[in-house]
Amino acid sequence: MIIEFIGADIEAAGKSVAALTASWGYQPEPAPTAEPANDPDIKGVDPVAVTSLVVSIPSAMLAVADIADRIHKRRRASELIERAQQLRAQQAAARLVREDHSVDLATLTPDQLLDLIADEPSAT
């Protein structure tokens, strides 16, 4: 990826982005400098916009990891609910017991089960 800095303080912008990418384990390599365009119709890259884009990348990666984790947990919750429904067919019940009430697992959706579990206080 090539990032070009144009503006009043391009050295500071470059150092800022270089420090950020170095913290990720990527060392920036300077690209050969070219003559700046003198055409007034050509617009440069705003260093603030580039910096905000670079800063938003970790949060996007975290969101993807959260979604992947939710999908994995949702599959497990679905399996648990399916098992509870099988037990109900055999005249048994599986309930999720909470401090204030209990809920029949067979009546929940996977998302409802995950939300109920997420609302419980940690048992540490």
Side-chain angles (χ1 to χ4, degrees):
M1 175 183 349
I2 297 175
I3 300 174
E4 180 182 22
F5 301 101
I6 299 172
D9 197 4
I10 60 172
E11 288 183 38
K15 287 179 183 178
S16 173
V17 172
L20 182 64
T21 57
S23 71
W24 297 339
Y26 296 99
Q27 294 301 321
E29 297 176 15
T33 58
E35 292 285 327
N38 293 329
D39 187 1
D41 294 332
I42 296 177
K43 296 183 179 181
V45 177
D46 181 16
V48 174
V50 171
T51 303
S52 66
L53 175 65
V54 171
V55 170
S56 69
I57 291 172
S59 62
M61 292 172 53
L62 183 60
V64 169
D66 286 345
I67 290 171
D69 185 49
R70 176 77 178 201
I71 289 170
H72 180 71
K73 288 179 180 177
R74 195 172 191 278
R75 285 186 190 139
R76 287 184 175 179
S78 181
E79 291 171 1
L80 181 62
I81 291 168
E82 185 178 314
R83 182 61 50 95
Q85 290 170 344
Q86 290 171 356
L87 290 172
R88 185 166 47 168
Q90 298 171 0
Q91 304 302 322
R95 300 185 67 80
L96 176 64
V97 179
R98 302 190 37 138
E99 283 184 20
D100 53 348
H101 67 285
S102 62
V103 180
D104 188 2
L105 284 174
T107 63
L108 297 175
T109 66
D111 290 322
Q112 289 172 332
L113 177 58
L114 291 176
D115 291 341
L116 284 172
I117 293 170
D119 290 343
E120 285 188 356
S122 300
T124 55

